[in-house]
Amino acid sequence: MSYAFKLALIVAITVPASLLTIVIGVFDPHGAYVYRIGQAWSWLILRLSGITIEVTGLEQINPRQPYVFMANHQSHIDIPVLIQSLLAYQLRWIAKKELLWVPFFGWALWASKHIPVDRADRFDAAKSLRTARKRIQAGISVVVFPEGTRSKDGSLLRFRRGGVLLAVLTGTSIVPVTIKGSGQVLPAGSWHLRSGTIEVIIGEPLTVAGFRPGNLRGLSSRVREAIEKHLRPQTALVAESSWGIDPWIVDTTLLKKRSV
């Protein structure tokens, strides 16, 4: 199958799936029903692209409870890969607010009740954390790419602390997830989708007991180490992440001022 024909098929699937998601999503408060459309869409995308997934570690997690899944990010294909790897779970993404303006995809993102955030606006970040908390209370798991963007060489970038803050504030266990091979299938900055195999390694859940919003470094380091240990055979290790100002670090007083 030629790349042009493959791309045309993907567009032909994505547009009607997005429109159906938008129409149904208006009446779906948590996006539980329209998420099934996303599952079908992701399966078709991977099947058409000749991409197979090898998942290990699912036995370590319980599909009857929500988690904060935190994964490394190498490619746009990571999203359908995670959807298919975690079929027993309802997933919602913490996503950059700019994505809402992408035709069809962004509109479907909104209708599916994913969680957009303006990381430059502390008040908007606090609002997004409250929205994510509502999703978790409804039994829905939240997915966070703690690097905040795609890594171009596969090595881990500096972690943002929004994901661990959300987990601590909601008392939700964190599941580290390592994705290997997606950068070769669809490199960052490219739309040339190749066939291949992507490995997804589900780590052991990490409890957030004993951690507080003001002391997240240790927890974030544990998540990073759990993801990075499965990347070591393929990528160079990155030195311990630096900790600068992160727009996702919001004062808990902002959350208290507005009820969930």
Side-chain angles (χ1 to χ4, degrees):
M1 185 186 300
S2 70
Y3 171 68
F5 183 62
K6 186 188 298 185
L7 184 60
L9 280 177
I10 290 174
V11 172
I13 292 168
T14 300
V15 171
S18 298
L19 291 175
L20 185 60
T21 297
I22 293 165
V23 171
I24 299 176
V26 174
F27 308 100
D28 192 358
H30 290 293
Y33 296 105
V34 296
Y35 184 71
R36 303 304 179 192
I37 300 173
Q39 287 180 318
W41 168 83
S42 62
W43 181 85
L44 284 168
I45 294 298
L46 296 177
R47 188 68 179 266
L48 284 172
S49 304
I51 296 171
T52 57
I53 307 172
E54 295 180 354
V55 186
T56 58
L58 283 173
E59 71 282 354
Q60 301 186 94
I61 54 179
N62 182 1
R64 291 190 175 91
Q65 73 178 73
Y67 296 101
V68 175
F69 290 100
M70 297 183 66
N72 61 309
H73 194 20
Q74 299 179 6
S75 169
H76 284 310
I77 205 68
D78 290 338
I79 293 174
V81 164
L82 285 175
I83 292 173
Q84 289 301 304
S85 299
L86 297 163
L87 282 173
Y89 299 84
Q90 283 267 337
L91 304 176
R92 300 295 180 273
W93 265 260
I94 302 288
K96 295 183 293 186
K97 202 164 190 175
E98 309 90 86
L99 292 177
L100 295 180
W101 300 103
V102 177
F104 298 106
F105 175 82
W107 308 335
L109 191 73
W110 168 82
S112 301
K113 307 304 186 291
H114 293 284
I115 307 157
V117 58
D118 182 351
R119 292 177 296 190
D121 185 333
R122 289 166 64 87
F123 284 96
D124 190 76
K127 179 181 177 182
S128 297
L129 283 174
R130 292 194 301 274
T131 301
R133 179 185 287 178
K134 289 181 181 179
R135 300 287 182 266
I136 291 173
Q137 290 172 343
I140 294 169
S141 294
V142 174
V143 179
V144 180
F145 293 123
E147 296 165 280
T149 189
R150 290 164 294 154
S151 170
K152 293 184 178 181
D153 62 3
S155 60
L156 288 180
L157 306 177
R158 183 179 70 89
F159 272 26
R160 298 176 182 271
R161 287 173 279 182
V164 291
L165 176 60
L166 170 64
V168 168
L169 289 175
T170 58
T172 307
S173 295
I174 296 172
V175 177
V177 180
T178 305
I179 304 173
K180 298 171 67 174
S182 62
Q184 287 72 46
V185 167
L186 182 62
S190 171
W191 288 103
H192 196 141
L193 190 57
R194 305 172 177 88
S195 61
T197 299
I198 297 173
E199 185 179 359
V200 178
I201 303 165
I202 311 298
E204 184 179 354
L206 301 176
T207 180
V208 298
F211 291 95
R212 297 291 180 268
N215 183 23
L216 301 176
R217 179 179 296 186
L219 180 57
S220 186
S221 294
R222 288 179 63 194
V223 176
R224 184 186 180 91
E225 289 167 5
I227 294 173
E228 189 177 52
K229 71 179 181 180
H230 297 296
L231 289 174
R232 283 174 182 151
Q234 290 188 345
T235 63
L237 295 181
V238 180
E240 184 177 355
S241 58
S242 58
W243 292 86
I245 297 175
D246 187 341
W248 257 96
I249 302 175
V250 297
D251 293 333
T252 53
T253 53
L254 296 177
L255 296 172
K256 294 176 181 177
K257 288 180 181 178
R258 303 178 188 178
S259 60
V260 174

